[in-house]
Amino acid sequence: MNIMLAIHGVGIIICFLMTFLVYLAKPSEQQKILFAGTLFTFMDVAGYFYELQSKSLEVTRLAVKLEYLGTTMGLLCFLYFACLYSNHRNDKWLKFIKYFYTIDHFFILLLIFTIDFNTLYYKSITYTEEDGFYIWVYEPGTFYYWWIVLTTVLGIIIALIMIQSVLEHKNEKRPELLLIFGASLVPIIFWIMRILGYLGHYDSYPISMLITESFLVFVMYRYRLFDTVKGAKDRVIDEIKEGILVTDGLDAVIYSNREADLIFPDMDWNDKDMVRKQIFDFMEAHKDGFMIEERFYEWQRSEIFDDNQRKAGILYRISDMTDNYLYTKQLIELKEDAERANEAKSSFLARMSHEIRTPINAVLGMNEMILRETEADNIREYAINIHNAGKTLLSIINDILDLSKIESSKMVITENDYMLGSMILDIENMIAMRAEEKNLTFRILADSKLPKNLHGDEMRVKQCIVNLLTNSVKYTNEGSVTLEIDCADIQGNIINLRITVSDTGIGIREEELHMLFDPFTRLDMMRNKSVEGTGLGLSITKRLVAMMQGNLTVESEYGNGSKFTFVIPQKIMGTELLGDYRKAADEVTEHSKSGAPGTFIAPRAKILAVDDNRVNITVVKGLLKRLKVQFDAALSGAECLDKIRQNHYDIIFLDHMMPEMDGVETLQSMCQIEEYAQNPSVVIALTANAIVGAKEEYLQAGFEDYLSKPIDSMQLEQLIRRYLSPELIEYTEM
């Protein structure tokens, strides 16, 4: 008995010192749980110490209460401590175990603290003599056996939790886990010894918990588990979704985390040759990444240096980049699909443009012949209607092609010098007739102080203005449409040209303004169902203005008209002012002698038209009739080659899409003919292909110029006047 007292007396001192040491450690989750465990172990040992000395039933019962407070709470602390190191600490089954034993131990404490009034835990407590010593003997009650069984199961659970942690970290060189596992076995061993009767009436639990807590405190200090930063680092490395390998100076793997084990599940890290061949040599051969079981990995290698900057080892990081790899692969495939689709769309549009424009060329060309030659008013009226319908259809096709150019980023802003007055007069001629047909007043207000000559893309500026004016005329049934051109501001030699188109039309609802510039969108369809159009004009205009570094805005009141304004920068050329734009345009007309079609003839000029379509040949011949040129035709590339061997032509209009030998191949063959090479002709591409970049492709192929079908008679005659020698042109009066 004296030996037991001495042992427990020393145990009290040890428990006190451990509690004090743990209290002084760095605050962390481990420190808090271990501090509570050592404190409750101190109560357990102290309670049993007083029980061994007690001669009074009242003191014994008090000692038992103190002892069981330490026992129940100490076991709970050990359970929570073990769960802290489990990889399954958040699993439902582990949480259930913690909750169950917490409730159970508080229930046992309730029974213990009321042993004065119940016999559920102990039926009796007696003081008796045994082997010459007086000891307290406890007669077990029903819940005593409940406590013994559940406590034994708890010890086994704690041991299993720790062995699971040891097994899952088998390659991480963590002896602290083995020591904690060993500590978990101590209470089980003592319990078994007591159940088998080796310890008699002696309660081994306090001393077993003392030994266990001593193990834990040793492990915590030996392996710096109180260090929250180290613990955090270990947990991060352990749980990070990246394989980590560390080699020493001899290239032996001294550390691998769990993710590395999952990537290479059959690898024996102690087999240096196997690791070198199957891991390091393999990775060096796949520097850009490698596939394993349909997962894609990338890796990095970095050297590790000690405090003296000597190489201590190598760190390998292996990252699972499957999602990024698949996403990048998908993007590449989508990009390729989009490029193929865009090429297919461009090819389709080119083909459809050619197929649609060819018959339109015949319709409008023949109709032009009717307008020129008929004298019957009713027939002229029919022809005018055909002309207007054809132009509308052509406008729709052009809008679709323009949108295709913009969306494929192939629309090019081509800047040249131009005369503002001529552009305004062209716009007036294009819009005035449409406004007159609807009995609308059409006004143009151009600031006379604007520069006379500008530098920019005249065609696109004109297209934007015409689109806005056409839109206003469409949606205005009475009143007026007004075009205002003035200066927003001037910065050096750059003028911010402001164009405003206003009307007294139907206006736009405020809630629909945000859809105004969407492609293929028509607003207020019930009210505007009779208005023709694709809904592309405004969308194209907004995008063209943006491409010219400008901005388009709209103000509208439903029922009271709309006002569109855009401002674009244009370079000022010279110091002359616009003045009256009509006079400025007339001066240009007089100077260039361009005038209207039919103001010149070229009877000595020889012109050849090459086209596999006889109707197209007839159209070109008819449009050139009043120029009195010497016209010739060929229906194929081969026939064209035969004709140029026999004759010299001043201008050749050459179609592109012809069977057997197309226009480009024909041009290349022409250049190989010696007679032609010595005295070449001006070759102009005359084609229905008006798709993105067509003109540039033809110029690059060697054509002098490009004219699209349907043929505009004005453009046709301008090209002839431009490329014929001046001595072949004879100007006439109207």
Side-chain angles (χ1 to χ4, degrees), residues 654-655 663-664 667 683-685 697-705:
L654 180 59
D655 186 28
V664 175
L667 178 60
V683 183
I684 298 174
E697 291 179 5
Y698 289 124
L699 295 180
Q700 188 174 0
F703 289 91
E704 290 288 338
D705 214 319

Side-chain angles (χ1 to χ4, degrees), residues 165-264:
S165 298
V166 171
L167 292 176
E168 291 194 1
H169 297 82
K170 58 185 178 184
N171 292 319
E172 297 191 24
K173 315 293 186 184
R174 291 189 176 176
E176 65 268 24
L177 295 176
L178 287 171
L179 289 173
I180 297 175
F181 169 65
S184 69
L185 297 178
V186 174
I188 297 176
I189 294 172
F190 273 86
W191 273 112
I192 294 173
M193 291 174 65
R194 184 178 181 186
I195 292 171
L196 295 176
Y198 293 123
L199 301 176
H201 293 290
Y202 175 68
D203 187 353
S204 62
Y205 182 76
I207 198 68
S208 68
M209 283 304 298
L210 174 61
I211 297 171
T212 296
E213 291 294 330
S214 300
F215 261 98
L216 296 180
V217 172
F218 169 77
V219 170
M220 299 297 285
Y221 272 96
R222 171 65 178 81
Y223 296 102
R224 294 173 57 205
L225 300 186
F226 282 135
D227 190 341
T228 305
V229 174
K230 179 182 180 300
K233 289 180 179 178
D234 290 344
R235 184 164 294 280
V236 167
I237 293 174
D238 190 43
E239 296 184 356
I240 191 172
K241 296 302 180 183
E242 187 174 57
I244 301 294
L245 295 176
V246 179
T247 63
D248 59 14
L250 301 176
D251 294 332
V253 176
I254 58 175
Y255 177 85
S256 64
N257 71 343
R258 186 169 62 255
E259 189 68 19
D261 296 336
L262 294 175
I263 297 173
F264 306 105

